[in-house]
Amino acid sequence: MQEYVIYRRVSTKEQGKSGLGLGLEAQQRDIDLYLQNYSDVPFEILGTFTDVLSGGNNDRPELAKAMELARKTGAELLVSKLDRLSRKVSFIEQLMEDKRITFLVASMPTADAFQLHIYAALAGQERRFISLRTKAALKEAKACGVKLGGLRDKTMKRNEVVKANVNDRAERIRAIIMPMRDSKKTVRDIAAALNAANDQTARCGVWGPSTVKATIRPPNGG
């Protein structure tokens, strides 16, 4: 029987407490979709562990417990996204070198260890570049006399958060749909899987073949 140890992570206490659309629920949906569509059956969940800490913090007690259980039992460590394990490439590399642990990423169900390593490295580069770009933009705005802070700044930050959440959701949905399509699942099968996981469309509706097709179709309609 296939055995799993589930690990989830959120970065604030508020996310950890509510679990309603702020992280935990979305992670669990990804994990459930993986188990329903990609796992060998039957399977067993030996334990679920959750940390409420930053991804840059390597001192995560629940992750340590999850890893220890995976080592003892030979179960596979399952996470929703790679950055739930860590945002540090060095940590991912260290985990890959541990021969007693095998980990899986639900949103990239067919990725092998080499692909996950490349993804982690590229994601790290992107985060560093975004940080540099943000600092440069703030410095330029300040030099031009723009006052940072206040109501307008808070509104802009809120809009940026909303936009980031929308983009993250779109990326997550496509990461679920595309591997299913590549494995020859029909759009009807994909819609059924998303609905079974209670993963609503962007307009809070149910999935159908047409909405799946619209998500798969490139933005330019090509």
Side-chain angles (χ1 to χ4, degrees):
M1 178 183 293
Q2 179 65 57
E3 296 177 328
Y4 295 100
V5 175
I6 307 299
Y7 177 69
R8 308 177 304 178
R9 179 185 63 77
V10 286
S11 58
T12 68
K13 292 182 179 180
E14 288 75 16
Q15 287 177 322
K17 289 178 180 177
S18 69
L20 298 175
L22 294 175
L24 288 179
E25 189 176 72
Q27 289 177 52
Q28 192 60 49
R29 275 200 305 267
D30 288 355
I31 289 167
D32 290 342
L33 277 170
Y34 176 88
L35 294 173
Q36 292 165 14
N37 293 279
Y38 294 97
S39 175
D40 293 336
V41 290
F43 63 82
E44 182 181 1
I45 307 300
L46 300 185
T48 298
F49 301 84
T50 304
D51 274 316
V52 187
L53 291 166
S54 166
N57 187 342
N58 285 344
D59 184 17
R60 285 174 278 162
E62 293 304 301
L63 177 57
K65 294 177 185 177
M67 292 170 62
E68 183 60 24
L69 181 58
R71 289 190 184 101
K72 286 183 178 179
T73 62
E76 294 188 286
L77 184 64
L78 178 60
V79 296
S80 63
K81 294 177 65 177
L82 190 58
D83 65 6
R84 295 305 87 189
L85 280 175
S86 179
R87 294 185 183 278
K88 294 182 177 180
V89 180
S90 58
F91 185 90
I92 300 299
E93 289 177 340
Q94 182 180 356
L95 191 59
M96 287 179 171
E97 291 174 359
D98 190 333
K99 302 302 182 183
R100 295 176 296 167
I101 290 183
T102 301
F103 70 90
L104 299 169
V105 179
S107 60
M108 294 186 287
T110 61
D112 57 27
F114 177 74
Q115 291 170 325
L116 292 175
H117 183 273
I118 295 298
Y119 180 86
L122 292 175
Q125 289 183 22
E126 183 181 28
R127 282 192 299 273
R128 288 190 293 273
F129 183 81
I130 289 174
S131 176
L132 290 172
R133 184 176 61 191
T134 301
K135 291 177 181 178
L138 291 173
K139 184 178 180 180
E140 183 177 345
K142 188 174 181 180
C144 293
V146 176
K147 292 185 178 181
L148 303 177
L151 181 60
R152 178 176 174 81
D153 188 53
K154 290 180 180 178
T155 301
M156 291 176 65
K157 287 182 179 179
R158 183 172 64 249
N159 291 341
E160 288 174 0
V161 170
V162 171
K163 183 178 179 180
N165 288 339
V166 170
N167 290 339
D168 182 70
R169 183 187 182 282
E171 178 186 352
R172 180 174 60 81
I173 291 296
R174 284 182 64 82
I176 294 169
I177 290 177
M178 299 309 285
M180 293 181 69
R181 188 194 68 165
D182 293 342
S183 63
K184 307 305 180 182
K185 296 281 187 180
T186 67
V187 289
R188 193 175 298 277
D189 291 335
I190 296 172
L194 290 168
N195 290 327
N198 294 319
D199 205 334
Q200 295 178 321
T201 66
R203 296 188 177 185
C204 299
V206 297
W207 288 90
S210 60
T211 47
V212 172
K213 286 181 181 178
T215 304
I216 294 173
R217 188 182 303 122
N220 61 5

